[in-house]
Every structure is written in structure tokens, then in C-alpha cells.
Amino acid sequence: MARFYVNLDAMSLPGSEQFEHFIGYVSGGQAQFRVVFKHDDGLNENRLFVEVRDDAGGFASTEGVSELAIPSGWHAIEVDWRAASTRGADDGQIVVCLDDDGSRLSCEQLSAVDNDQGRVDFVQWGALGADPSTTGSFDMDDFDSRRAGPIGL
């Protein structure tokens, strides 16, 4: 479980550009999950989606299916990634919440993922893989992570 704060107001993502903001890796450097920011021109808003790697090496994603709109200002983002409990259990998941008050009404989830072989040994946090046409800046603050239990606002 991790929580951090972001403010995307001073950043411009042209078109439908996106960048990875928070990535969990296994020790060999392979991404196990990604939290991605993008701009949706049609809705004229910044959005967040998540992706999680399964044991076959593919990524399940909430992009275009279940995304969170990121209004202007500061926002708390919580990420809870879990590997499947055993081989064949297919109960791995990732939950991402935006400004959640504990009700889980502002959360998106990918569940029933076969990822029992995945582990997260380290993370990267920042503007990872941003397109050169992305301009401006964004603010990040107050990173907290735990192995168990919600962090909360």
C-alpha cells in the first residue's frame, strides 16, 4: 500500500499523451504494475488508470474502461497492489483511490489477476517515460508506504 499527493495543474499533456507516474518492479527490473496519468482531449481533463502484469507477461488495464478523473488542485492517490495468493488462485489485484475517505467510492480496481509469480521489490515515482512534447511541471509530496493496512488521508 502506498499513498502520495500530486498536483497536475502546471503540466500540459498534449493530445492524448500519457506518462507512467508510479511503477512497481521485481528485482530484475520488470514492471509489475503501473499508475499512468493521461490527458483526454475529448473530456478536456487529466485522468488516471492502472495496469497490472499477469503471469503470462501481459498487462490488464483500466484504460478506457474505468479511469479516474483528476480535477485541478492537490489530490491524494492510494495504490494497493497484491499478488495472487497461490498458483492458480487468480486473486491478485490492484486498487487505486483518488481522495478516498474510506468509502472506496472514488476507487478503481483490477481483480481476479493471475499474478502469483509477481513480487514488488522497489518502486519508481515521478514523470517516468513522459513524451518530449509534454510541457510544464507537476508537484508531488508526502510519499508513504506500508506492507499492510490502509494509510488513509
Side-chain angles (χ1 to χ4, degrees):
M1 169 80 65
R3 183 200 61 224
F4 49 86
Y5 292 85
V6 298
N7 183 330
L8 303 177
D9 291 353
M11 184 179 66
S12 175
L13 286 164
S16 294
E17 294 296 328
Q18 62 187 37
F19 69 90
E20 298 163 344
H21 178 64
F22 184 62
I23 306 173
Y25 296 95
V26 70
S27 60
Q30 188 174 52
Q32 298 301 305
F33 71 82
R34 301 185 280 233
V35 175
V36 183
F37 293 143
K38 74 175 194 178
H39 185 77
D40 185 313
D41 275 348
L43 298 172
N44 194 30
E45 65 186 10
N46 290 322
R47 301 183 68 76
L48 174 153
F49 66 92
V50 294
E51 299 178 325
V52 63
R53 181 181 299 278
D54 62 26
D55 286 346
F59 277 91
S61 177
T62 62
E63 182 178 20
V65 177
S66 181
E67 301 173 345
L68 294 171
I70 304 173
S72 61
W74 281 97
H75 298 283
I77 296 174
E78 286 197 17
V79 179
D80 186 4
W81 174 88
R82 295 171 195 233
S85 57
T86 61
R87 183 178 172 96
D90 298 351
D91 60 355
Q93 70 173 2
I94 188 166
V95 178
V96 63
C97 299
L98 182 72
D99 300 328
D100 185 52
D101 61 3
S103 67
R104 294 280 175 146
L105 293 175
S106 58
C107 301
E108 297 300 337
Q109 175 175 319
L110 277 172
S111 56
V113 179
D114 178 15
N115 65 345
D116 57 279
Q117 297 174 27
R119 295 292 174 257
V120 173
D121 296 316
F122 67 96
V123 298
Q124 285 185 314
W125 179 46
L128 308 165
D131 190 273
S133 60
T134 299
T135 60
S137 63
F138 70 99
D139 298 310
M140 308 181 320
D141 196 12
D142 195 29
F143 182 89
D144 188 5
S145 67
R146 302 180 186 174
R147 290 193 179 272
I151 297 170
L153 294 176

